[in-house]
Amino acid sequence: MRRLLITGFDPFGGETVNPAWQAVKLLPDTVGGFELCKLGIPTVFGKAAEAVLAKAEEFQPDVILCIGLAGGRDAVTPERIAVNIRDARISDNEGNQPQGEFVAPDGPAAYFATVPVEKMAQAIRDAHIPGAVSNTAGTFVCNDTLYLLLHHYAGTSTKVGFIHVPRIPEQGSPSLELSRTAAALAAAIEVC
Ligand code: PCA
């Protein structure tokens, strides 16, 4: 069976929950042809990717999929691209607020995700859940994590992707029920 490492961030920006990690926890231990390993990671620049890499060293995944919250979005959105910029509007969970800095000074301007984002978005819609490819993961910790992982695994067979999810109804609108977010993640994983 192929192995997929899936991560979710902890709450940030004054929120008490992060539906990304909550939805990850709802997933079964196998999805499609994958054995899953689930990992909660901190919303901290650099440290989030370090936590993923440490677990990946042990689990040796074929695919790494990170899940984050994007407040304001009304669909489950596989990210197409990560950019080499840290530009934070709010502080991360350790008080860092980089503005206009590089993620990796030696890296290219951007990387494309190496998972099939169009197929994933279609699979989500086929499950009757709003899904769309996103062309920006922002310039906060989610983009940072995707960029650092794509940088690390560039030229290898390990695939790396990221999915942003909406708020849950308790957090305000737009929102999506947690069970539907989890179902969308499962649908996307099946086509990775
Ligand atoms: N969303 C933030 C960081 C953690 C999360 O879940 C982001 O979009 O960068």
Side-chain angles (χ1 to χ4, degrees):
M1 215 177 212
R2 292 199 294 156
R3 284 188 294 273
L4 186 143
L5 173 58
I6 186 161
T7 72
F9 286 95
D10 64 359
F12 66 99
E15 300 274 350
T16 53
V17 292
N18 191 327
W21 176 230
Q22 291 197 320
V24 167
K25 285 192 287 186
L26 283 184
L27 292 170
D29 291 333
T30 63
V31 175
F34 288 105
E35 175 194 348
L36 263 48
C37 174
K38 304 170 196 172
L39 179 70
I41 60 175
T43 301
V44 177
F45 281 100
K47 284 198 178 168
E50 280 172 28
V52 180
L53 289 172
K55 178 57 80 175
E57 191 65 36
E58 174 195 319
F59 184 62
Q60 294 290 313
D62 300 283
V63 180
I64 299 174
L65 203 51
C66 300
I67 314 301
L69 165 67
R73 287 198 192 165
D74 58 6
V76 177
T77 49
E79 295 291 349
R80 195 192 305 275
I81 193 164
V83 297
N84 192 2
I85 281 293
R86 293 176 165 173
D87 199 37
R89 190 175 40 79
I90 58 171
S91 297
D92 72 11
N93 286 352
E94 288 189 354
N96 307 300
Q97 194 175 356
Q99 294 188 319
E101 294 176 16
F102 291 121
V103 176
D106 61 333
Y111 284 103
F112 289 114
T114 46
V115 294
V117 292
E118 303 280 1
K119 269 172 70 179
M120 291 159 74
Q122 186 60 51
I124 294 166
R125 291 191 296 269
D126 288 347
H128 308 290
I129 301 161
V133 172
S134 162
N135 292 307
T136 175
T139 52
F140 193 49
V141 178
C142 290
N143 172 76
D144 192 71
T145 307
L146 179 58
Y147 185 96
L148 285 168
L149 294 174
L150 287 166
H151 191 52
H152 182 87
Y153 288 106
T156 75
S157 61
T158 306
K159 306 288 183 211
V160 178
F162 196 101
I163 301 178
H164 264 123
V165 302
R167 292 190 176 106
I168 44 176
E170 300 88 295
Q171 295 177 296
S173 79
S175 69
L176 192 64
E177 292 288 343
L178 191 63
S179 59
R180 298 189 79 209
T181 297
L185 298 182
I189 288 169
E190 282 182 23
V191 298
C192 275

